[in-house]
Amino acid sequence: MLHPNQFTVNDAWIGFRLNDAPIVTERDGDVDCLALMDAASCYIVGMETYSARATGPSKVESRRLLQQGHGRVGTWPSKLFVAEGQIPEALCQEAARLNIEVVIVPEDDLLVFIGDARDGFQERFGRTQ
């Protein structure tokens, strides 16, 4: 099982969806929220919303999310961990294009990292189901 103490800051990021069901907005319609988290510090380095009707963020949205993380920490990670079946292909492709190794793991392996962020998101925005 993975744990934050296995990593050094900025060495690996985790890509994950913050919400469990679409978030209803007046301006943008239903959206999903994708986040990037540093694996060692559990600090969220980037967030991007995209249409819940899409199969995932576009190539441009994925690039913007990764650039946001890079802008916050000043470097690229060597690895991006994503949960099996949870992260759209465009983000994985953009990460690979930047020479970031994409590692697909069962979602349970990431809960120690992302559980608190998801819980906090739910507290702030309410249950989305």
Side-chain angles (χ1 to χ4, degrees), residues 80-87 89 92 101-107 109-110:
L80 174 66
F81 288 88
V82 296
E84 217 168 18
Q86 294 290 314
I87 298 299
E89 189 64 26
C92 295
E101 178 187 356
V102 177
V103 181
I104 300 170
V105 298
E107 185 178 26
D109 288 358
L110 299 178

Side-chain angles (χ1 to χ4, degrees), residues 9-99:
V9 174
N10 301 325
D11 180 49
W13 290 349
I14 298 167
F16 67 102
R17 198 169 129 188
L18 274 168
N19 56 305
D20 55 8
I23 302 161
V24 179
T25 69
E26 286 184 28
R27 190 181 92 199
D28 298 321
D30 294 354
V31 297
D32 286 326
C33 186
L34 197 59
L36 287 178
M37 174 185 282
D38 176 68
S41 66
C42 295
Y43 176 75
I44 293 181
V45 298
M47 285 180 23
E48 182 75 27
T49 59
Y50 60 94
S51 173
R53 285 182 250 131
T55 57
S58 67
K59 185 177 183 177
V60 170
E61 291 164 330
S62 296
R63 185 174 295 140
R64 187 170 46 227
L65 177 60
L66 290 164
Q67 289 287 345
Q68 188 181 109
H70 182 267
R72 285 217 172 107
V73 300
T75 189
W76 295 110
S78 61
K79 293 181 183 179
L80 174 66
F81 288 88
V82 296
E84 217 168 18
Q86 294 290 314
I87 298 299
E89 189 64 26
L91 181 64
C92 295
Q93 289 173 349
E94 283 301 303
R97 186 183 67 74
L98 294 165
N99 295 317

